[in-house]
Amino acid sequence: TQLLEQSPQFLSIQEGENLTVYCNSSSVFSSLQWYRQEPGEGPVLLVTVVTGGEVKKLKRLTFQFGDARKDSSLHITAAQPGDTGLYLCAGAKRRSGQAGTALIFGKGTTLSVSS
Amino acid sequence: ETGVTQTPRHLVMGMTNKKSLKCEQHLGHNAMYWYKQSAKKPLELMFVYSLEERVENNSVPSRFSPECPNSSHLFLHLHTLQPEDSALYLCASSQGLGGYEQYFGPGTRLTVT
């Protein structure tokens, strides 16, 4: 059972278009992070959201954490070829029976932006 | 530059070989992680080290053996691997354990023949 579902799995758009990708779960997370991974590289942290309903903006990227802290969305305005990559969400969740929290990753959304 | 480096970037090894992956973080973090990334699967957490002590081992086969000699270095020793072990192996570090923001290295692309 996948704890964090990301949709769509693949997205191919033209430069200048807007898009939204989603990260959904039935579990509550103490925080949620978004990463972008380019081919042959490791994931790079984009943002962390902590409070339910929180909205963060990073230039053309807008991240929202759901009110119940179970889901999140990433909206990109006027996409550019440089936005191409794998977008991963990761939720922080307390580990059952153990101390501390664990970071649970989704499978990601592969975005391709063509010029 | 992420502050986390990994070597080698690419590795091809036979099933009877022994090799090691190296990770070094220059961020002053106190926790380090090994992940496995395979096609069509989420990132799989393999091992977690906090202050050089292994705090998590997620049912990883014994053919993978981690080592953390100090808080800046992490190794993954490999022996008698299987073809299904071919994947991208990612190292990450964080200041604080578990759900804190993690900073990844570029990964080692491993192919087992």
Side-chain angles (χ1 to χ4, degrees), chain A residues 49-60:
Chain A
V49 286
V50 179
T51 307
E54 181 178 3
V55 176
K56 279 193 174 179
K57 291 193 174 183
L58 188 67
K59 297 183 180 178
R60 294 176 294 100

Side-chain angles (χ1 to χ4, degrees), chain A residues 15-30:
Chain A
E15 183 176 5
E17 292 184 29
N18 302 333
L19 67 115
T20 303
V21 298
Y22 300 92
C23 176
N24 295 301
S25 177
S26 57
S27 298
V28 176
F29 296 104
S30 55

Side-chain angles (χ1 to χ4, degrees), chain A residues 36-44 81-87, chain B residues 37 88 106:
Chain A
R36 184 165 72 97
Q37 184 177 18
E38 297 186 21
E41 298 296 330
V44 174
D83 295 327
T84 293
L86 175 67
Y87 288 82
Chain B
Q37 188 176 35
L88 182 68

